[in-house]
Amino acid sequence: MYERKLPVETECGLHLFMEVINGKWKINLIWCIHSGIRRPGELQRKIPKASRRLLDTQLTQLVEHGILSKTSFDQLPLKVEYNLTPLGETLVPIIELTAKWGEDHRSVLEPLFINENLK
């Protein structure tokens, strides 16, 4: 299991925010769950570039941080669903605003990454 080497900096709200969303797929997971995709297999199909193990790790972290809730159903095969908590719902407008910023600046940003990928 991963053991943190440096303590979480809590004196700044930005550090707390980054601690919660830090992870390559966390914002995508939050958005997918907000959009109605709730089961791990569905999330894996929606984010195929991420490994199932990484998604499971980041889902667990989001549950630990109070952003998601996890419901396990007592049946075979095992059924698990994730939902946004009220705290998690407060991230949705931030994600929407961030996505809008990306779209509004696509003409400037996209060529930077296309050129980078060609190197």
Side-chain angles (χ1 to χ4, degrees):
M1 187 72 178
Y2 172 78
E3 186 176 325
R4 178 178 290 283
K5 293 175 182 61
L6 299 173
V8 175
E9 295 183 37
T10 59
E11 69 277 354
C12 174
L14 185 58
H15 290 145
L16 292 170
F17 174 74
M18 291 300 295
E19 185 65 30
V20 170
I21 65 156
N22 186 29
K24 186 169 184 174
W25 303 107
K26 285 184 180 177
I27 290 176
N28 296 73
L29 288 167
I30 293 166
W31 187 255
C32 287
I33 292 167
H34 166 71
S35 301
I37 301 169
R38 300 199 176 0
R39 302 208 43 218
E42 295 170 334
L43 292 164
Q44 175 70 59
R45 285 189 289 281
K46 188 70 177 173
I47 310 171
K49 291 181 181 179
S51 72
R52 179 67 178 259
R53 182 177 177 188
L54 180 58
L55 290 180
D56 287 343
T57 299
Q58 292 190 356
L59 286 165
T60 299
Q61 291 170 350
L62 289 168
V63 170
E64 290 171 354
H65 289 129
I67 304 302
L68 300 179
S69 64
K70 178 181 177 180
T71 305
S72 298
F73 297 90
D74 190 22
Q75 67 182 52
L76 289 176
L78 182 64
K79 179 180 175 183
V80 172
E81 287 186 355
Y82 292 93
N83 288 288
L84 288 175
T85 63
L87 179 61
E89 287 289 347
T90 65
L91 287 170
V92 172
I94 297 166
I95 295 169
E96 289 175 330
L97 189 59
T98 304
K100 182 181 180 328
W101 182 88
E103 289 300 327
D104 290 350
H105 298 92
R106 177 184 292 278
S107 63
V108 174
L109 298 170
E110 194 171 47
L112 299 173
F113 295 105
I114 291 172
N115 292 337
E116 185 178 286
N117 291 335
L118 295 177
K119 291 179 183 178

